[in-house]
Amino acid sequence: MPHDHADHDSPNGHPHTLLPSDPALRVKALETILTQKGLIEPAALDEIIETYETKIGPRNGARVVAKAWLDPAFMAALRADATAVVSELGYYGRQGEHMIAVENTDTVHNMVVCTLCSCYPWPLLGIPPTWYKSDAYRARAVREPRKVLAEFGVVLPDGMAVRVWDSTAETRYLVIPQRPVGTEGLDEAALMDLITRDSMIGTGLAVTP
Amino acid sequence: MSRVHDMGGRFGDGPIVPEAEDGAVFHEDWHGRALAVTLAAGALGKWNIDISRHGRECLPPVDYASMSYYEKWMAGLAGLLVDANVLSREELASGEAIGASDLADKRMDVAKVASVLAAGGPADRPCDVAVAFGVSDIVRTRRINGNRLVAGGHTRLPTYAVGATGRILRVHGTHVLPDSSAHHLGDGAEPLYAVAFAASELWANPEHPGDEVVLDLWQSYLERTA
């Protein structure tokens, strides 16, 4: 059987040790060398950053959830093929190629983690918050989700089971939080304001107005 | 045996620090830069997502444990660039390019960014492997855990779920097998399933009798129970 070649156990050490130790200088060094070699364009980096700062974020997911709350046919389509439904809204893309919507009910609360790295549905929720990528969340969410939820201020009734989704493949999960009571007359835009990023990861609930 | 990234269920990590909903996407300028450099370098086509994940997982454990998220990305990227002969160790050490690259025509220009991000990289593939399990079937994850193609190689069965019995919740279709794809051995596509495990099947002290953990697992990670 072949052995893994990705380990850098030569006496010269891992290549990262050749770079400056300060992380900002480290990034700058890689950007500089790659730019000099004609392999990256700094303006493209600006464009990527701006895209995730201003265009692709949790408002996308909130729009999907609001539509699901308002329209049973939309929710049914989302259950059948979430990727197709979000693609029609323009939310297909990198790290959201295989979407699955999971619905919170009176008896099940869903919560998403990636214990092995930090997989996250970028086209719908953007770049994950720091805590989602932390060792503490990755380690604990699967073993003690209720303690984790309590740290977010969420306490579930005893009759509600927790289902934690560990994103080990390229499937990405969007939690559809329960619609708060007293929101019957609200339109899509007003509902979107109640749908937080954390409620779509499952570490929060939708805001009750 | 597993690697440092395989931390699901581990004790001792302390509390989680929630973040404001309207907080910055990138908390430091270099975070966004690190993400963008990584995506732009990936667009050169010299590695796939499984190779890049494995690159981070192969960081020395002492480094992995001490690095923040984007520091791991940068360190992983340095390894990928050298392994793929995109950059040399001398270039990393000097901070200067030495000579031109024959990959320059692959550069992701600013005009291509939106289309590359929108195109994504779907992982479903047709394959000849027959789908062995259906919804509600009872299965067990194989033990001993580990990549069966490459010793010490990439795999996506977390240690906490090894040897556990669960039930098929969904059949996802057939997807690229990371154990193969991470090592330039081809897609090796297989059926992929969402498998639900009772918390009591995984943890000595489960919080609640009704709780479950669901993992996406490839067919070769699973065996039929007797």
Side-chain angles (χ1 to χ4, degrees), chain A residues 4 37 46 130 168 171, chain B residues 19 33 54 91 110 207 216:
Chain A
D4 193 348
K37 290 191 86 79
D46 297 336
T130 302
T168 46
T171 38
Chain B
E19 265 174 88
R33 222 68 198 159
H54 190 53
E91 287 175 313
V110 62
E207 287 186 314
D216 288 323

Side-chain angles (χ1 to χ4, degrees), chain A residues 132-145:
Chain A
Y132 185 86
K133 302 176 281 201
S134 69
D135 285 6
Y137 186 71
R138 289 169 55 189
R140 295 178 52 211
V142 282
R143 181 171 48 77
E144 48 184 14

Side-chain angles (χ1 to χ4, degrees), chain B residues 29-61:
Chain B
D29 285 345
W30 69 266
H31 290 180
R33 222 68 198 159
L35 176 126
V37 170
T38 302
L39 297 193
L44 297 170
K46 297 296 284 184
W47 53 79
N48 58 43
I49 191 161
D50 299 307
I51 294 169
S52 65
R53 282 201 188 105
H54 190 53
R56 284 172 214 143
E57 295 162 9
C58 287
L59 289 170

